[in-house]
């Protein structure tokens, strides 16, 4: 059975992000606890699997094929002593991230097609430990599993 390589989608996306000049020096984490030390970098990307749903419009006659919509969350994290600086780091990172995703809609051939679906924002203001500004970018890709 040719199953969907979910982790392979994430690791290929990590490789694409790390190779892009606009994201040079930005650490990229795959399915790791986001409690990491950003004091040196000021920003980071965290890739996680969100969900998978059966793609609409699949006839029963397909039988041995299932198309999945795989939702990935890519978190852009900015960290700084002031919240304003953390938010600027986050916003700059989101802009670069979205351009990379728009230019790589198949994640190096790992999905048939991909698109962006927005995401959530989270702010953490802490005068003693620093400030975090996070933005989620949801990337949905269509992948196929084939029973052989």
């Amino acid at each position: 059975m040719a199953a969907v390589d979910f982790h392979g989608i994430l690791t290929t996306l990590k490789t694409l992000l790390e190779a892009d000049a606009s994201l040079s020096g930005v650490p990229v984490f795959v399915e790791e606890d986001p409690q990491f030390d950003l004091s040196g970098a000021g920003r980071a990307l965290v890739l996680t699997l969100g969900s998978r749903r059966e793609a609409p419009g699949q006839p029963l006659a397909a039988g041995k094929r299932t198309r999945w919509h795989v939702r990935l969350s890519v978190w852009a994290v900015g960290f700084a002593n002031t919240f304003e600086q953390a938010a600027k780091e986050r916003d700059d990172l989101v802009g670069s991230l979205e351009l990379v995703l728009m230019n790589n809609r198949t994640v190096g051939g790992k999905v048939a097609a991909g698109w962006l679906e927005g995401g959530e924002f989270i702010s953490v203001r802490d005068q003693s430990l620093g400030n975090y500004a996070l933005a989620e970018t949801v990337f949905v890709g269509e992948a196929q599993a084939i029973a052989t």
Side-chain angles (χ1 to χ4, degrees):
M1 175 171 180
V4 176
D5 181 10
F6 298 107
H7 188 71
I9 295 169
L10 288 177
T11 56
T12 300
L13 181 55
K14 177 183 180 184
T15 300
L16 290 169
L17 294 171
E18 290 174 333
D20 193 273
S22 69
L23 297 172
S24 178
V26 176
V28 181
F29 301 90
V30 175
E31 295 189 293
E32 291 185 43
D33 186 349
Q35 302 299 322
F36 44 82
D37 178 19
L38 287 173
S39 59
R43 54 194 193 152
L45 294 170
V46 180
L47 312 177
T48 62
L49 287 169
S51 64
R52 66 184 174 123
R53 303 277 187 266
E54 188 173 333
Q58 295 189 75
L60 290 175
K64 295 187 176 236
R65 296 175 188 262
T66 300
R67 292 185 348 263
W68 295 106
H69 285 176
V70 181
R71 294 175 56 91
L72 311 174
S73 290
V74 183
W75 288 92
V77 182
F79 174 81
N81 288 329
T82 67
F83 180 76
E84 290 72 21
Q85 184 60 36
K88 180 183 180 329
E89 292 288 344
R90 174 205 59 207
D91 293 349
D92 290 347
L93 193 52
V94 167
S96 296
L97 168 66
E98 288 177 348
L99 289 174
V100 172
L101 293 173
M102 287 187 280
N103 287 324
N104 293 284
R105 299 235 182 216
T106 66
V107 188
K110 287 289 191 179
V111 297
W115 55 94
L116 302 178
E117 287 193 352
E120 304 293 325
F121 288 92
I122 299 173
S123 300
V124 179
R125 297 172 189 238
D126 185 331
Q127 297 302 320
S128 61
L129 298 175
N131 298 276
Y132 290 86
L134 297 90
E136 175 192 35
T137 298
V138 175
F139 180 84
V140 180
E142 185 169 297
Q144 184 171 240
I146 303 170
T148 54

